[in-house]
Amino acid sequence: MSDKPTENVVPVTEAPKDAPAAEGEKGPSKGALKKAAKEKEKAEKAAKRKAEEEAQKKAADANDISKEDYGELPMLGSQPYVPPTEKVPRVNLAEVAEEYKDTSKMDEAGGPQIVFRGIVENARAQGAKLTFITFRQGLDTIQAVVAESETLSRQMVKFAGKIPAESVVLVHGLVKKPKELVKSTTIQHLELHVKKLFVVAKADSQLPMQVTDAERPIPGDGEEEKTEDDGRPIVTLNTRLNNRVIDLRGKHNTAIFTIKDGVIALFQEFLRSKKFVGVNSPRLLGAPSEGGASVFEVKYFNTKAFLAQSPQLYKQMLIASRFERVMEVGPIFRAENSNTARHLTEFTGLDMEMAFEEDYHEVVGLLEELMLYIFNGLRTRYGRETDLVRSIYQVEEFKLPEAGKVPRLPFSEGVQMLRDDGVEIGDFDDLSTPDEKRLGALVLKKYGTDFYVLDKYPLAIRPFYTMPSAETQAAYDPKNPNAGTSNSYDFFMRGQEIMSGAQRIHDAAFLEKRMRECVTPVDPKSEGLRDYVNAFRYGCPPHAGGGIGLERIVMLWLGLPNVRLASLFPRDPSRLSP
Amino acid sequence: MSDKPTENVVPVTEAPKDAPAAEGEKGPSKGALKKAAKEKEKAEKAAKRKAEEEAQKKAADANDISKEDYGELPMLGSQPYVPPTEKVPRVNLAEVAEEYKDTSKMDEAGGPQIVFRGIVENARAQGAKLTFITFRQGLDTIQAVVAESETLSRQMVKFAGKIPAESVVLVHGLVKKPKELVKSTTIQHLELHVKKLFVVAKADSQLPMQVTDAERPIPGDGEEEKTEDDGRPIVTLNTRLNNRVIDLRGKHNTAIFTIKDGVIALFQEFLRSKKFVGVNSPRLLGAPSEGGASVFEVKYFNTKAFLAQSPQLYKQMLIASRFERVMEVGPIFRAENSNTARHLTEFTGLDMEMAFEEDYHEVVGLLEELMLYIFNGLRTRYGRETDLVRSIYQVEEFKLPEAGKVPRLPFSEGVQMLRDDGVEIGDFDDLSTPDEKRLGALVLKKYGTDFYVLDKYPLAIRPFYTMPSAETQAAYDPKNPNAGTSNSYDFFMRGQEIMSGAQRIHDAAFLEKRMRECVTPVDPKSEGLRDYVNAFRYGCPPHAGGGIGLERIVMLWLGLPNVRLASLFPRDPSRLSP
């Protein structure tokens, strides 16, 4: 074979030995001498055992017809690379499964011989002559048999049965039609008859947790580690996150993070088609710009810096800099000491901001279109991944409205719906999380969709840069400057907020007035805000935008019970590793 | 007109008055009384003046045939939005220019009437009957005339001549063929005869700097602000960055940041087509993972966190987590106290990592392909932007190799080329920046390309996770464990490094050994590295990757003299704002 490894020998990489403890000025003690003699004896025994084993192995090898066809490969990179004279392409199992979808014409001899790199999901020796292995590659698994034959030795069968789960292997095999569909693997209409089997990277035989355990739902709040009816353990979220590299190997995690990247791709794809330019605004700021409470402080040479809580002010400054439409994908930092299932201290923000012509609903409409584009893209492109995850967390299908028919309810109407349902709530109160969820259920009942928009939020509960509505401006009362509504909106999925946005104030004088008058006044002349306010003195078009929490979309699309499950290496007040 | 503003009145937004100073317990003093009387008199005078002005204006308005056709619009958002009965689409000037490319059939009456939102680049009154305005939209400018006629009043001509540069305006006008090509605008074959003109957002008449001054090259190192032969000032980089919102309005900046986003789009496009998955690794780390010297420290509740200096360890852990190919676009933080033209404390990293089959040059080949894809994409899609910036900074065209013919020189060959050119350098010395530039010139001369790769860097000058070359491993000498070469590479543009990469060690035992043996030893059991090392105990495929500095690519593609010019809001040891 062209890609036969040059040598089947494992390089012995000795761990560096600790330096012997200094014995001081005197000679070694009696005890030390005795110990040394014992160690010498031990070493001699080990050497003898090793020599015997090698002799045995040599003898066995001499009789082993398969000795060139299996073994542990040396660490790739430790041997000079000699390009093969004839290159055998390594295949993708999903493509093979697709290519040989129709097995009706496959004869006894089987399909083609294939070569691929994969993972041993598990290896089960069935007596001395047969080993079953499940190989994994991506989301696909295939059943393989290593069976003793005239050309395949019993030693090779034994070797195969002892490969630790999770090892990386290089496999040569014949694709065949199984006697009946294989129920335990994703590829059911094919099985593999192994011809050669090399370990590329061996896993420890004892892993801190099992990948199969990661593929079960996390226990609910307050539940401890426990054992299921079938005797397998339910591992807590904390244990999983402590062993995230193994946890992430679960197929549902491959799916979750493929979907997460899909959301970013769809976000960028849609907005690029609408002429948005991607930008990179700074994360290190000279002053906390949006309230000092939940901001992280950084030691910055001889001074302090602060981590961006959003790109809000920069997005707007870019609109003032003649960027008509900007978008940004980047980390957001919030120093909120909240240990809930919905909060992270670091998450990914999908932000956009755009100039508009006549009315901020131009922007709301575009954002609705964007979200529908993302949802439909997830449905059509990531159906397999979505189904896989939802099969674990047992959630309802996400119900979408028809295109162009996203319910866009005034905040006041949302309040009325809640009141009609028995909730006591004031006209301008902020919605609590339970109220939001309740309203989500009411909207689903009335409009048949899990996605909707609340518009015209009370001015008092929005940030200083929010444009008050025209009605509110007309009824302005200096004694009650925060009364009334604003040109702002939240987007919801399954009754939870995923995006917040608004028309922003683009007039410097009016912005300064609102900064001084808003519920938590800020100083327009402060270091962190001066440049921002000045940006609107130079002629800035009317603009609006929004910020989406990426992990929330993923969580709510899939119905995950905790936002941490949508972050590769989540960060919260008590977790900074791995 | 359907999109006629409902009212042409500017809302008077009064700045909140400071509360009067408390006068203490006593009654007002004599001085205070005198002051109050004076203020009263002043207010009366102002009121009288205002009334007179209004009366005058009213009289003028009565005679003004154009009074409905110009003026300052109220702040958008302050008036209820009434959707127009007939919607007039607002156009894009570039599209109009393209549509009416052929003006030969355009008669005296001109082309169509168009409506658009744009910027006043400048307005020049030519006597009382004529005003010229240059409007800008994106990279395009068009010349417009506001001329007195039977249907256009002298008052309107005067109003047009007084609009401050940089104001945002709404324009209605007739597209016509100019008598001769207009030389001062980008659209030369058309001019605009203004019919209506409204100010949407007025700029201050005194700006801290002029946009046209931003459109000239920055002065060289050590040069001060100065005046060019034509009497216009050359503004230093510092002044520009202090007024970045105005500076960014320069057309070359629109071009630079369009190109920068283009690099990201091309990077993602190419890698997605090769099945890479985008990931978001954490920026907040529990321990400094890659050397403590240049890491920023963060106050994290009751403990400390550190900002990621690269996603290196996480990219690798994701490979160990069965992500075969990952890419990431995200901010990178480096606490290097370097105030050079090449360093930023925050920049954008384009990172990738992938499992490979047999040899790490599979990855080098893919990275070369990636870079050529980016360069060719910049050429074909961003030709206009590239030419615009290079016309300011007067640099040579970036010379590309033919596809598949990227010079990939062993480090030793680079050293030899330098020696042949008279440079004294040891076999395993790192290249200084001047040496790198010199080598770039030598490669350009020999191979005719500004883009090339140096392969097989000395082991001693690479990070601990770098795979030593097979030759080096074979010749291993415990007394000199860092001698020899490694499976690592740097990519260069115009003699400056833009990417660094390597095959990484995927075997935990060997990794631990290298961590202890490398030039700056690190502890495999330390908090920041333990999880990372453990990841390789669970079976990890051989992998390699690289990290690209986005701002460097943009700088070197365009030949910018300073990397800050490729960052929207650059950060360096002495700059944290705006």
Side-chain angles (χ1 to χ4, degrees):
Chain A
M1 280 306 300
S2 56
D3 61 343
K4 196 188 80 173
T6 41
E7 222 180 325
N8 276 350
V9 184
V10 189
V12 180
T13 312
E14 286 186 54
K17 292 187 178 74
D18 290 324
E23 292 288 340
E25 310 274 309
K26 295 183 207 161
S29 68
K30 242 187 188 175
L33 284 173
K34 208 172 166 187
K35 199 176 159 196
K38 246 192 188 163
E39 269 177 12
K40 197 185 160 201
E41 194 184 334
K42 209 168 144 191
E44 279 168 358
K45 267 190 188 165
K48 198 180 161 197
R49 194 168 56 238
K50 203 178 166 190
E52 279 170 8
E53 277 173 9
E54 271 169 14
Q56 266 178 15
K57 191 172 181 301
K58 216 170 174 181
D61 278 0
N63 294 323
D64 187 351
I65 43 167
S66 301
K67 66 174 182 256
E68 299 287 310
D69 297 339
Y70 70 94
E72 292 183 26
L73 298 182
M75 179 180 70
L76 208 158
S78 64
Q79 310 286 317
Y81 176 63
V82 184
T85 43
E86 189 200 348
K87 188 117 185 158
V88 180
R90 297 186 180 180
V91 299
N92 179 277
L93 289 182
E95 282 165 21
V96 171
E98 187 58 32
E99 192 177 344
Y100 297 96
K101 216 168 186 174
D102 178 12
T103 53
S104 61
K105 285 169 201 155
M106 210 177 256
D107 64 11
E108 186 61 16
Q113 175 141 342
I114 61 169
V115 182
F116 67 94
R117 175 164 54 76
I119 309 301
V120 172
E121 199 168 86
N122 61 62
R124 295 98 63 199
Q126 306 273 308
K129 299 181 180 178
L130 186 65
T131 285
F132 284 103
I133 303 184
T134 305
F135 292 118
R136 181 184 162 192
Q137 203 187 54
L139 290 183
D140 295 291
T141 51
I142 193 166
Q143 169 153 284
V145 290
V146 189
E148 187 182 11
S149 72
E150 281 173 19
T151 56
L152 198 152
S153 69
R154 194 171 284 205
Q155 292 95 320
M156 181 167 162
V157 175
K158 189 178 170 192
F159 169 84
K162 291 194 164 171
I163 301 176
E166 292 301 308
S167 296
V168 182
V169 288
L170 179 65
V171 187
H172 297 230
L174 272 183
V175 170
K176 290 200 180 183
K177 182 182 169 179
K179 282 189 192 127
E180 48 191 58
L181 289 184
V182 184
K183 286 198 184 120
S184 59
T185 54
T186 67
I187 299 174
Q188 310 200 320
H189 65 293
L190 297 175
E191 66 176 17
L192 193 79
H193 290 243
V194 172
K195 298 296 166 194
K196 300 186 184 185
L197 183 56
F198 304 104
V199 172
V200 175
K202 195 172 173 176
D204 280 3
S205 45
Q206 288 292 330
L207 301 185
M209 66 178 278
Q210 301 305 311
V211 175
T212 42
D213 294 334
E215 289 178 343
R216 314 185 125 205
I218 55 168
D221 279 348
E223 282 186 79
E224 288 300 302
E225 314 247 336
K226 61 177 184 184
T227 306
E228 278 290 275
D229 296 344
D230 58 6
R232 281 170 50 196
I234 296 286
V235 184
T236 60
L237 180 58
N238 213 31
T239 300
R240 296 180 198 215
L241 295 180
N242 287 340
N243 298 285
R244 190 63 163 160
V245 167
I246 298 175
D247 185 39
L248 283 174
R249 292 178 179 191
K251 283 186 272 293
H252 65 296
N253 273 328
T254 307
I256 288 172
F257 294 99
T258 303
I259 288 171
K260 187 176 182 181
D261 181 42
V263 175
I264 295 180
L266 291 161
F267 174 84
Q268 293 177 329
E269 205 172 281
F270 178 83
L271 291 180
R272 282 195 208 287
S273 80
K274 301 286 182 192
K275 299 194 176 170
F276 280 73
V277 175
V279 296
N280 308 94
S281 68
R283 304 292 117 172
L284 290 169
L285 310 182
S289 46
E290 292 177 74
S294 60
V295 67
F296 287 115
E297 190 183 302
V298 181
K299 254 176 83 175
Y300 194 81
F301 305 102
N302 296 321
T303 180
K304 278 188 225 169
F306 301 87
L307 291 180
Q309 293 153 280
S310 91
Q312 182 58 39
L313 308 190
Y314 286 92
K315 286 194 297 183
Q316 289 190 252
M317 285 196 272
L318 288 169
I319 298 293
S321 302
R322 306 286 175 245
F323 290 69
E324 281 273 306
R325 299 177 162 205
V326 296
M327 62 171 174
E328 178 158 23
V329 179
I332 304 283
F333 306 96
R334 300 271 168 91
E336 287 171 45
N337 205 342
S338 309
N339 281 286
T340 78
R342 289 158 29 101
H343 286 88
L344 294 168
T345 52
E346 177 179 349
F347 62 91
T348 306
L350 305 181
D351 270 275
M352 60 80 74
E353 197 76 23
M354 65 181 270
F356 63 82
E357 299 293 342
E358 298 176 89
D359 177 44
Y360 78 98
H361 290 104
E362 294 162 30
V363 182
V364 180
L366 187 136
L367 285 168
E368 289 168 356
E369 242 190 284
L370 164 67
M371 292 312 302
L372 291 180
Y373 185 85
I374 291 173
F375 297 142
N376 285 316
L378 290 177
R379 259 197 186 163
T380 52
R381 297 187 206 170
Y382 302 95
R384 181 181 180 189
E385 287 82 1
T386 298
D387 291 346
L388 196 156
V389 181
R390 287 191 190 155
S391 74
I392 294 176
Y393 282 104
Q394 309 289 347
V395 275
E396 297 277 312
E397 170 83 354
F398 187 89
K399 281 174 205 68
L400 286 180
E402 290 171 56
K405 289 192 178 171
V406 180
R408 194 192 289 172
L409 314 177
F411 186 84
S412 55
E413 194 176 321
V415 167
Q416 193 54 53
M417 283 172 77
L418 283 169
R419 280 183 189 152
D420 292 347
D421 200 50
V423 178
E424 278 185 40
I425 181 171
D427 280 353
F428 297 108
D429 287 355
D430 205 353
L431 300 181
S432 67
T433 303
D435 283 350
E436 282 182 347
K437 286 188 182 166
R438 190 151 171 178
L439 184 56
L442 294 171
V443 171
L444 176 60
K445 203 169 155 195
K446 185 167 176 186
Y447 297 96
T449 164
D450 280 311
F451 169 56
Y452 64 98
V453 177
L454 274 189
D455 190 20
K456 298 267 178 215
Y457 268 68
L459 179 62
I461 60 173
R462 306 297 277 201
F464 63 79
Y465 42 74
T466 309
M467 180 68 83
S469 68
E471 305 73 46
T472 292
Q473 290 185 56
Y476 176 69
D477 170 10
K479 280 183 210 128
N480 198 4
N482 295 306
T485 59
S486 62
N487 290 354
S488 66
Y489 38 84
D490 274 8
F491 282 42
F492 289 86
M493 284 173 72
R494 299 189 199 263
Q496 291 194 51
E497 182 250 310
I498 51 152
M499 168 160 60
S500 218
Q503 177 182 350
R504 330 293 187 179
I505 299 170
H506 61 282
D507 177 278
F510 189 53
L511 178 61
E512 287 182 313
K513 181 170 144 77
R514 282 297 307 152
M515 288 168 118
R516 294 199 181 95
E517 278 182 358
C518 70
V519 176
T520 313
V522 292
D523 179 5
K525 306 237 179 296
S526 69
E527 200 194 326
L529 293 170
R530 204 176 38 222
D531 290 314
Y532 167 74
V533 175
N534 282 339
F536 304 107
R537 298 190 204 286
Y538 315 144
C540 176
H543 59 285
I548 309 176
L550 173 58
E551 286 79 5
R552 286 229 177 138
I553 293 189
V554 174
M555 168 175 86
L556 295 166
W557 174 252
L558 295 171
L560 302 176
N562 194 308
V563 72
R564 288 166 185 78
L565 298 174
S567 173
L568 285 166
F569 297 96
R571 296 295 182 250
D572 63 34
S574 52
R575 177 172 292 282
L576 273 170
S577 71
Chain B
M1 280 304 296
S2 56
D3 61 344
K4 196 187 84 177
T6 42
E7 222 181 325
N8 276 347
V9 183
V10 188
V12 180
T13 314
E14 285 185 54
K17 290 189 178 76
D18 290 323
E23 292 288 339
E25 309 274 310
K26 295 183 208 161
S29 68
K30 241 187 188 174
L33 284 174
K34 208 173 167 185
K35 200 177 162 195
K38 245 191 190 164
E39 271 176 13
K40 197 185 161 200
E41 193 185 337
K42 210 169 147 190
E44 281 168 356
K45 266 191 191 165
K48 197 180 161 196
R49 195 169 52 238
K50 203 178 168 190
E52 278 170 7
E53 276 172 10
E54 270 168 16
Q56 265 177 16
K57 191 173 180 300
K58 215 170 174 185
D61 279 0
N63 295 323
D64 188 353
I65 42 168
S66 302
K67 66 175 183 258
E68 300 288 311
D69 298 340
Y70 71 94
E72 291 182 29
L73 298 182
M75 180 180 70
L76 208 157
S78 64
Q79 311 288 316
Y81 175 63
V82 184
T85 42
E86 189 200 349
K87 188 116 184 159
V88 180
R90 297 189 180 180
V91 298
N92 179 279
L93 288 182
E95 282 165 22
V96 171
E98 187 61 31
E99 192 179 344
Y100 298 94
K101 216 169 185 172
D102 178 11
T103 53
S104 62
K105 284 168 203 157
M106 210 178 257
D107 64 12
E108 185 61 17
Q113 175 141 343
I114 62 170
V115 182
F116 66 95
R117 177 166 50 76
I119 309 300
V120 171
E121 200 169 87
N122 60 62
R124 294 99 62 202
Q126 307 273 307
K129 300 181 181 179
L130 186 66
T131 285
F132 284 102
I133 302 183
T134 304
F135 291 118
R136 180 183 163 195
Q137 201 187 55
L139 290 183
D140 294 292
T141 51
I142 193 166
Q143 168 152 288
V145 289
V146 188
E148 186 182 12
S149 72
E150 280 174 20
T151 57
L152 198 153
S153 69
R154 195 171 280 206
Q155 291 97 319
M156 179 167 164
V157 174
K158 189 178 170 191
F159 170 83
K162 290 194 165 170
I163 300 176
E166 293 300 310
S167 296
V168 181
V169 288
L170 179 64
V171 187
H172 297 230
L174 271 183
V175 171
K176 290 202 181 183
K177 180 182 170 181
K179 283 190 191 125
E180 49 191 58
L181 288 184
V182 185
K183 287 199 182 119
S184 58
T185 54
T186 66
I187 299 174
Q188 309 200 321
H189 66 293
L190 297 175
E191 66 176 16
L192 193 79
H193 290 242
V194 172
K195 298 295 168 195
K196 300 186 184 187
L197 183 57
F198 303 103
V199 173
V200 174
K202 193 171 172 177
D204 279 3
S205 46
Q206 288 292 327
L207 301 182
M209 66 179 277
Q210 301 306 310
V211 175
T212 42
D213 294 334
E215 289 179 342
R216 313 185 125 202
I218 55 167
D221 279 349
E223 281 185 77
E224 289 300 305
E225 314 248 336
K226 61 178 183 182
T227 307
E228 278 290 275
D229 296 345
D230 59 7
R232 282 171 49 196
I234 296 288
V235 183
T236 60
L237 180 58
N238 214 31
T239 300
R240 295 179 199 216
L241 295 180
N242 287 341
N243 298 285
R244 190 62 163 161
V245 167
I246 298 176
D247 185 39
L248 283 174
R249 294 180 177 188
K251 283 185 272 295
H252 65 296
N253 273 327
T254 307
I256 288 172
F257 293 99
T258 303
I259 288 170
K260 187 175 182 182
D261 181 43
V263 175
I264 296 179
L266 291 160
F267 174 85
Q268 293 176 329
E269 203 173 282
F270 178 84
L271 292 179
R272 282 196 208 283
S273 79
K274 302 286 180 190
K275 298 191 177 174
F276 280 73
V277 175
V279 296
N280 307 94
S281 69
R283 305 293 115 171
L284 290 168
L285 311 181
S289 48
E290 294 176 72
S294 59
V295 68
F296 287 114
E297 191 183 301
V298 181
K299 255 176 85 175
Y300 195 80
F301 303 104
N302 296 321
T303 180
K304 277 187 227 170
F306 301 88
L307 291 181
Q309 295 153 279
S310 89
Q312 182 58 37
L313 308 189
Y314 286 92
K315 286 193 299 184
Q316 290 190 251
M317 285 196 270
L318 289 169
I319 298 293
S321 303
R322 305 286 175 244
F323 289 70
E324 280 274 305
R325 299 178 162 203
V326 295
M327 62 171 174
E328 180 159 21
V329 178
I332 304 283
F333 305 95
R334 299 271 167 90
E336 287 171 46
N337 205 341
S338 308
N339 281 286
T340 77
R342 289 158 31 103
H343 286 87
L344 293 169
T345 51
E346 177 179 350
F347 61 92
T348 306
L350 305 180
D351 270 275
M352 59 82 71
E353 197 76 23
M354 65 182 271
F356 62 83
E357 299 292 343
E358 297 178 90
D359 178 43
Y360 78 97
H361 289 105
E362 293 163 30
V363 183
V364 180
L366 187 135
L367 284 169
E368 289 168 355
E369 240 190 285
L370 164 66
M371 292 311 302
L372 292 179
Y373 185 84
I374 291 174
F375 297 143
N376 285 315
L378 289 178
R379 258 197 188 165
T380 52
R381 296 187 207 171
Y382 301 94
R384 181 182 180 189
E385 285 82 0
T386 298
D387 291 345
L388 195 156
V389 182
R390 286 190 190 155
S391 73
I392 294 176
Y393 282 104
Q394 309 289 347
V395 277
E396 297 277 311
E397 170 82 353
F398 188 88
K399 282 177 203 65
L400 286 179
E402 290 169 57
K405 289 193 176 168
V406 180
R408 193 191 291 171
L409 312 178
F411 185 84
S412 56
E413 193 176 321
V415 167
Q416 194 53 54
M417 282 172 78
L418 283 170
R419 280 184 189 150
D420 293 347
D421 200 49
V423 178
E424 278 184 40
I425 180 171
D427 280 353
F428 297 107
D429 288 355
D430 204 352
L431 300 182
S432 66
T433 304
D435 283 351
E436 282 183 348
K437 287 190 183 168
R438 190 152 171 175
L439 183 56
L442 294 171
V443 171
L444 177 60
K445 203 169 155 192
K446 187 167 174 186
Y447 297 95
T449 164
D450 280 310
F451 169 56
Y452 64 98
V453 177
L454 273 189
D455 190 18
K456 298 266 176 214
Y457 267 69
L459 180 60
I461 59 173
R462 305 296 276 202
F464 63 80
Y465 43 73
T466 309
M467 180 67 85
S469 67
E471 305 74 44
T472 292
Q473 290 184 58
Y476 176 67
D477 172 8
K479 281 183 209 127
N480 197 4
N482 295 305
T485 58
S486 63
N487 289 354
S488 66
Y489 38 84
D490 275 7
F491 282 42
F492 290 87
M493 283 172 73
R494 300 190 200 259
Q496 291 193 52
E497 183 250 310
I498 51 152
M499 167 161 60
S500 217
Q503 178 181 352
R504 331 294 186 176
I505 299 171
H506 61 282
D507 178 278
F510 188 55
L511 178 61
E512 287 181 312
K513 183 170 143 76
R514 283 296 307 153
M515 287 168 118
R516 293 198 181 94
E517 278 183 358
C518 70
V519 176
T520 313
V522 290
D523 179 6
K525 307 235 180 296
S526 67
E527 198 195 327
L529 293 169
R530 204 176 39 221
D531 291 313
Y532 167 74
V533 174
N534 282 340
F536 304 106
R537 298 190 205 285
Y538 314 143
C540 176
H543 59 284
I548 309 177
L550 173 58
E551 286 78 5
R552 286 230 177 137
I553 294 188
V554 174
M555 168 175 86
L556 294 166
W557 173 255
L558 294 171
L560 301 176
N562 195 306
V563 73
R564 288 167 185 76
L565 298 174
S567 174
L568 284 167
F569 297 96
R571 295 294 183 248
D572 64 36
S574 52
R575 176 173 293 282
L576 273 170
S577 71

